[in-house]
Amino acid sequence: MRIYDPKKVTVFKRKLGILAKQQMLDHGLDPFDGPLEVCMEFYRPVQASLSRKERARRLSGDHRPTVKPDLSNYIKALEDGLNGIIWIDDNRIVQIVAEKKYSDRPRIVIEVNKFDEVEE
């Protein structure tokens, strides 16, 4: 059995990696190691064909994206695309908070924190 990414996903991962690599260089950071907590926000564009009322609902967060791609697909593409760039490997991620939202400015926001393990 062979599993492969569709071309769009491959292009997304490549572009994401290039942007992330530049951000890491600009901030003088090396890929994170150890247990990590990752917060991800995926901002999708609002369709132009909507009424003003529905547009306002989406931008305010009252209506959230329930369309494809699935949130889990976004997460997996981001995890894979940032391997070796933001984190040593995505197996270091021990906690994820992820959301899909609408915005006039589509983007992805990622916050990475070292996960504080409680020692007993």
Side-chain angles (χ1 to χ4, degrees):
M1 183 164 136
R2 295 186 78 191
I3 298 174
Y4 66 94
D5 287 330
K7 185 175 181 177
K8 276 183 166 180
V9 175
T10 302
V11 169
F12 169 78
K13 287 179 184 180
R14 189 177 305 122
K15 286 181 179 180
L16 180 67
I18 291 167
L19 292 170
K21 213 174 271 189
Q22 189 58 55
Q23 287 292 311
M24 294 296 279
L25 284 171
D26 290 350
H27 291 91
L29 297 171
D30 292 321
F32 294 102
D33 198 1
L36 301 173
E37 171 192 54
V38 180
C39 300
M40 308 170 186
E41 294 176 343
F42 301 93
Y43 291 90
R44 296 179 46 89
V46 179
Q47 299 88 329
S49 61
L50 297 174
S51 69
R52 284 187 201 166
K53 195 173 187 179
E54 180 57 27
R55 179 178 180 73
R57 284 187 190 119
R58 291 183 183 201
L59 291 173
S60 72
D62 288 343
H63 287 184
R64 301 286 287 270
T66 56
V67 295
K68 291 190 178 234
D70 301 345
L71 183 59
S72 58
N73 293 353
Y74 277 135
I75 293 167
K76 187 62 182 155
L78 190 137
E79 287 174 334
D80 293 345
L82 298 178
N83 268 340
I85 299 168
I86 300 290
W87 36 74
I88 299 290
D89 191 275
D90 60 350
N91 65 7
R92 302 302 198 276
I93 300 171
V94 298
Q95 183 170 317
I96 293 176
V97 175
E99 295 182 78
K100 280 196 306 187
K101 301 177 178 182
Y102 285 113
S103 175
D104 281 333
R105 201 169 56 93
R107 64 196 183 280
I108 299 170
V109 176
I110 306 160
E111 181 180 324
V112 179
N113 297 298
K114 291 190 178 203
F115 186 80
D116 292 326
E117 294 182 292
V118 178
E119 295 190 31
E120 296 181 30

